[in-house]
């Protein structure tokens, strides 16, 4: 019996030693990865695999004005390199560096306040999802939408843009497209991500749509095509979104230059908006940055 107990004790000790060694290796890998990126800003970091299924890591998205056309891409670092910070790269060249300001131990509440010299926002994490609230820049209302990036290749694609009705120049705002990486290469062409969110801002209101219609590109022999984004392409024809207290039908096929559904070059994407109940319509252009 004593001999059996000795064998059991030895086996347990070996198991504990192996487990500790494995834990040490994982900890060393985590520490090495964090150290390598410690001085990198949020937009330069690679997501750490250890945080892929958590609320920590890198989130990317858009940071856009509620009124007007100021817009940029947003990068949020939630402990990916042990730090908490963010960067907004605005169209026009402005770069906003946000620092995390701890308010009442907010890390425990999964809510983080980020502040820069002229801007701020709060991001709240629910699982792997991020919700941005209380965003402002230069004391003007802003909005933000962000998605989780992972080490396994799910890197969101964010395209900022604008819209305008040339006959009524005051009817203008931002028109932004996001592919969060949850629907990779939906049409089998390689390298694309399925469109998951359109974010439109006008009149200090943000409108979003997460449901999209398949469409045909008969001139390319493509049918039942899923709207998608590449780094330098946008395919989203025949879409309809609830916006501005009405419905906007829109087309955006941008491969520099813009083209229509017959593969003819045009000057921009397009939208046609009708107010709920009728009576007011707007038609105009969509431009991708």
């Amino acid at each position: 019996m004593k001999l059996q107990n000795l064998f059991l004790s030895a086996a347990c000790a070996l198991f504990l030693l192996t487990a500790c060694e494995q834990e040490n290796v994982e900890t060393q890998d985590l520490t090495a990865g964090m150290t390598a990126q410690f001085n990198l800003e949020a937009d330069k970091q690679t997501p750490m695999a250890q945080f892929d299924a958590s609320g920590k890591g890198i989130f990317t998205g858009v940071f856009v004005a509620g009124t007007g056309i100021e817009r940029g891409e947003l990068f949020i670092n939630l402990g990916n390199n042990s730090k908490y910070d963010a960067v907004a790269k605005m169209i026009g060249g402005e770069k906003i560096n946000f620092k995390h300001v701890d308010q009442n131990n907010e890390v425990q509440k999964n809510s983080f306040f980020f502040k820069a010299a002229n801007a701020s926002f709060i991001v709240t994490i629910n699982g792997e999802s991020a919700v941005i609230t209380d965003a402002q820049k230069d004391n003007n209302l802003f909005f933000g939408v962000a998605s989780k990036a992972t080490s396994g290749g799910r890197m969101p694609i964010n395209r900022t843009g604008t819209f305008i009705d040339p006959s009524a120049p005051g009817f203008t705002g931002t028109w932004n497209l996001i592919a969060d990486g949850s629907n990779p290469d939906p049409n089998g062409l390689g390298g694309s991500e399925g469109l998951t969110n359109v974010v439109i801002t006008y009149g200090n209101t943000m409108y979003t749509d997460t449901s999209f219609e398949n469409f045909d590109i008969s001139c390319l022999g493509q049918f039942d095509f899923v709207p998608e984004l590449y780094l330098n392409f946008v395919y989203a024809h025949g879409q309809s979104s609830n916006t501005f207290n009405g419905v906007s039908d829109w087309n955006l096929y941008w491969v520099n230059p813009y083209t229509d559904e017959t593969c003819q070059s045009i000057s921009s994407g397009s939208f046609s908006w009708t107010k709920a109940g009728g009576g007011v319509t707007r038609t105009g252009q969509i431009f991708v940055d």
Side-chain angles (χ1 to χ4, degrees), residues 57-271:
I58 298 294
F59 294 78
T60 77
V62 297
F63 188 66
V64 294
T67 295
I69 60 173
E70 274 197 281
R71 62 209 181 274
E73 190 170 6
L74 181 64
F75 302 84
I76 306 172
N77 167 31
L78 297 181
N80 190 66
N81 64 345
S82 79
K83 297 181 181 181
Y84 289 74
D85 49 37
V87 172
K89 299 172 73 173
M90 308 301 291
I91 297 300
E94 181 183 8
K95 186 175 184 179
I96 307 173
N97 291 290
F98 295 88
K99 293 183 178 180
H100 171 233
V101 180
D102 193 6
Q103 294 184 322
N104 300 320
N105 199 24
E106 61 185 359
V107 171
Q108 300 300 320
K109 299 182 293 185
N110 293 324
S111 181
F112 307 88
F113 177 56
F114 288 95
K115 183 174 177 58
N118 64 333
S120 61
F121 66 90
I122 293 173
V123 58
T124 301
I125 301 300
N126 182 10
E128 298 175 44
S129 300
V131 177
I132 296 174
T133 56
D134 299 319
Q136 64 83 24
K137 179 179 180 292
D138 300 320
N139 294 317
N140 296 313
L141 178 66
F142 263 61
F143 294 101
V145 176
S147 308
K148 173 84 180 234
T150 69
S151 65
R154 192 180 85 185
M155 183 61 71
I157 298 174
N158 310 293
R159 300 295 314 190
T160 56
T162 61
F163 74 90
I164 188 171
D165 177 354
S167 67
F171 192 73
T172 187
T174 75
W175 195 297
N176 314 277
L177 304 149
I178 295 174
D180 66 11
S182 61
N183 186 19
D185 196 19
N187 299 297
L189 300 181
S192 70
E193 299 283 355
L195 179 64
T196 54
N197 202 346
V198 59
V199 178
I200 304 167
T201 57
Y202 170 76
N204 277 340
T205 302
M206 178 174 70
Y207 305 90
T208 63
D209 189 2
T210 58
S211 178
F212 303 99
E213 294 75 33
N214 292 4
F215 61 98
D216 297 337
I217 313 177
S218 56
C219 58
L220 296 179
Q222 299 288 340
F223 301 95
D224 201 28
F225 202 81
V226 178
E228 62 180 12
L229 305 184
Y230 291 75
L231 289 176
N232 296 305
F233 302 89
V234 176
Y235 298 100
H237 265 298
Q239 303 303 306
S240 182
S241 301
N242 293 325
T243 58
F244 322 126
N245 192 29
V247 176
S248 291
D249 296 319
W250 55 281
N251 298 285
L252 188 54
Y253 183 22
W254 178 70
V255 291
N256 196 20
Y258 301 89
T259 63
D260 61 17
E261 63 276 9
T262 66
C263 296
Q264 299 299 306
S265 295
I266 53 177
S267 60
S268 67
S270 64
F271 73 90

